[in-house]
Amino acid sequence: MTTTYLDPFGDRPGLLIEGGRLHNSLPEGTPLHAAFAKHDAEAGPQSEKEAVAANDAAIAERLVIRIPASAALSKPIHILHREQGSANRQVRLIVEENATVDILEWFASDTPLVLNHVLRASLARGATVRYASLAAHPANSATTIHRLFELSQGSSLHLRTGEIGDADTHQSVEVGIDGSAASAHVETVALTNQRQEAILTSDITHRAPQSEGRIEHYGVANDESFLAFEGAGRIHRGMHGSVARQSNRGVVLGETSRLDANPLLYIDEHDVDASHGAAIGRIDEEQLYYLMSRGLTEHEAQRLIIEGFLAPLSVFLEDEGLSGLIRETLQTKTGR
Amino acid sequence: MATLEIRNLHARAGEHDILRGVDLKIEGGQSHAIMGPNGTGKSTLASVIMGHPRYEVTAGSVTLDGEDVLSMTTDERARAGLFLAMQSPAEVPGVTNSDFIKSAMNARLPEDENVSLFKFIRELDAAVDKLRMREDLPHRYLNDGFSGGEKKRNEILQMRLLKPSIAILDEIDSGLDVDALRVVGENVTEMKSSGFGLLLITHYQRILDYIDADTVHVMMQGRLVKTGDRELMKRIDADGYDWIKDELGIEDERVVPEGEDPASLGECAAKEAFEE
């Protein structure tokens, strides 16, 4: 086991990462290799279970991040994943009791990539995690990114994920709330264009009473792309006083692009507060008119509305290193 | 000096002919008020001047200093000097007031020029103070979660900063309590100059207690049917509109179908008072 100081942004404070690099390339004859070979043949991300199983079976690289009990880091941890070819990686995040941590994660690649990434995170009692994770892989990439969280009593998770690259992607967030008074807030933003396909799933299961789960999906689909949001809140019997909320908002920019949202609630308890909804459509004409009535050109008004719509990305825009890149990507992807 | 001239303006929304020949001329330094019962086409006139996509002009002309307004896009009209304070301004979550107003000011400058950040912040803060709005206004999302009264004051704030040559205030008084009405009145009155023409559209005369209008028009059936001065306004305040209908032989003054009048969705002042 080697200890690595991860410092992806040069002069930024990094963190001690205990990790083991097992393989640099995908070993032949493993289930993962088979899965990706199948992917290459069929062109389309594999199912989530298959991907997670394959990842467990043949981890090419693993990072373990442990935040000790009661630790509070004053600055966010930056994690940069930059790789080539194909990668099979697992990140294990262990946040101990009452620890607080901010994580800013960025996926990138210079060349097309096949990626199977799994995050397994556990939050102990009273832990607080703010996790922002943005993927921007180039076209002709195929990625699966699965993020699994377990929450103990009184812990709190605020997760923001974003897909602003050109990869065909299948991503999921799965949160299991195992302790009472724990809360999970999951925000997902996706921006697709050209012939890109993205399927994004957020699933929160309440296995403890008085727990809170919030899912928010925001999407913009341009050109001929396809974007789908699948959201589920599950409250088991006896988990009284729990809250499950979900919202889906989307803008369809392209003439032939498609944006689907399937908000689901599975409730087996009557003493709960649950709601879900979806609002998908073209850019609001009244908003456009209002902005233009103040002198903004149609182009500029649309740009402002889309940027505003993607406000959950603002956590990344606060980072100087990323904000320029993101604004550029938004302009390229929306043509605005 | 700015001159807005409207001649024989006809416009429709879908199946309904709403404006049926409006004639009006507003010059810099003048203040006009258009009064009238609900559903007579007052707000439609404001929207048509600004170029709302819902309306189609079927006849007539609108010019600003001789330039054809109707051939301009909405943003070109704004940059030419027109401003409309809307009755129900849109909410735009995610876009801060500050970013929006800065973009609007930059839109008026040559392409390679930007408003000085220092000057902008100073002007914006001063306007927030003048309109007695919350100090965090620049950082709040545009009209998102604003009370009816905050939205109206935000319209006037934008007008102050964008300095139009002709401003139209559409039902600026609806949703305002007396204190807010006074603040709005002071701010509008302060803008008056020989280079600023004003058109107030209102259902009630009470806004005219705070903003002086030298010419008063009455709108019915999609036309301006009567024009006068403050005496006309006082008579309407005392006697309502029926005497005008009798005088002109108008039975049904409405042109906007019942239920489609945005004014009926307005908030009442009492509710506003609770919200703030």
Side-chain angles (χ1 to χ4, degrees), chain A residues 304-318:
Chain A
L304 212 56
I305 292 169
I306 293 169
E307 219 179 274
F309 182 76
L310 302 175
L313 284 174
S314 61
V315 65
F316 298 101
L317 295 173
E318 283 160 23

Side-chain angles (χ1 to χ4, degrees), chain B residues 129-166:
Chain B
D129 191 51
K130 280 270 186 195
L131 279 144
R132 291 180 221 154
M133 299 189 73
R134 277 169 49 176
E135 270 176 35
D136 62 355
L137 177 101
H139 312 293
R140 292 172 73 193
Y141 291 152
L142 181 52
N143 293 327
D144 186 28
F146 281 32
S147 71
E150 281 180 315
K151 284 181 185 169
K152 294 300 170 77
R153 274 184 281 181
N154 200 19
E155 295 291 282
I156 300 302
L157 178 133
Q158 291 169 36
M159 182 178 80
R160 279 193 75 109
L161 292 169
L162 297 177
K163 303 181 178 66
S165 53
I166 299 282

Side-chain angles (χ1 to χ4, degrees), chain B residues 7-273:
Chain B
R7 280 192 193 156
N8 190 33
L9 188 63
H10 287 67
R12 58 189 301 163
E15 299 283 284
H16 305 286
D17 290 315
I18 300 178
L19 298 186
R20 300 174 183 181
V22 178
D23 291 284
L24 178 64
K25 186 175 177 182
I26 301 169
E27 295 185 345
Q30 296 179 348
S31 298
H32 294 247
I34 295 181
M35 302 182 68
N38 281 334
T40 53
K42 302 190 299 296
S43 288
T44 298
L45 175 63
S47 297
V48 168
I49 294 171
M50 209 64 225
H52 192 287
R54 188 175 164 216
Y55 302 99
E56 183 199 342
V57 173
T58 49
S61 68
V62 180
T63 57
L64 180 64
D65 298 330
E67 299 278 329
D68 179 11
V69 168
L70 297 177
S71 68
M72 299 181 193
T73 56
T74 294
D75 55 314
E76 288 168 344
R77 297 178 196 202
R79 294 197 297 274
L82 292 177
F83 183 92
L84 170 59
M86 297 190 194
Q87 197 180 155
S88 325
E91 300 183 3
V92 192
V95 176
T96 63
N97 279 287
S98 162
D99 279 350
F100 167 55
I101 297 170
K102 197 164 52 193
S103 300
M105 289 171 81
N106 282 335
R108 285 160 172 74
L109 298 173
E111 217 171 280
D112 52 349
E113 269 178 51
N114 281 319
V115 51
S116 129
L117 202 60
F118 178 71
K119 188 168 163 262
F120 168 69
I121 292 171
R122 207 177 43 193
E123 274 187 44
L124 180 55
D125 283 349
V128 167
D129 191 51
K130 280 270 186 195
L131 279 144
R132 291 180 221 154
M133 299 189 73
R134 277 169 49 176
E135 270 176 35
D136 62 355
L137 177 101
H139 312 293
R140 292 172 73 193
Y141 291 152
L142 181 52
N143 293 327
D144 186 28
F146 281 32
S147 71
E150 281 180 315
K151 284 181 185 169
K152 294 300 170 77
R153 274 184 281 181
N154 200 19
E155 295 291 282
I156 300 302
L157 178 133
Q158 291 169 36
M159 182 178 80
R160 279 193 75 109
L161 292 169
L162 297 177
K163 303 181 178 66
S165 53
I166 299 282
I168 304 163
L169 312 186
D170 187 10
E171 305 270 359
I172 198 71
D173 49 336
S174 73
L176 290 184
D177 62 22
V178 175
D179 289 334
L181 205 54
R182 186 178 305 117
V183 170
V184 163
E186 283 167 9
N187 275 272
V188 175
T189 304
E190 226 173 88
M191 287 199 64
K192 285 195 176 177
S193 74
S194 60
F196 179 74
L198 183 64
L199 176 60
L200 289 160
I201 290 176
T202 181
H203 180 69
Y204 303 104
Q205 57 74 35
R206 63 175 193 144
I207 184 68
L208 303 174
D209 294 341
Y210 300 90
I211 306 171
D212 216 15
D214 28 59
T215 312
V216 176
H217 312 268
V218 175
M219 193 160 198
M220 284 183 187
Q221 294 181 325
R223 288 176 296 123
L224 300 181
V225 294
K226 200 170 181 63
T227 295
D229 54 15
R230 290 189 66 82
E231 291 308 311
L232 174 60
M233 181 201 77
K234 282 179 189 157
R235 175 93 199 265
I236 292 169
D237 187 30
D239 302 337
Y241 292 104
D242 282 350
W243 65 275
I244 300 175
K245 286 165 70 176
D246 290 344
E247 194 179 288
L248 299 171
I250 293 171
E251 274 183 22
D252 183 5
E253 74 280 11
R254 294 184 65 97
V255 280
V256 180
E258 200 93 44
E260 285 185 33
D261 183 0
S264 62
L265 301 172
E267 288 161 74
C268 73
K271 183 167 175 251
E272 169 65 14

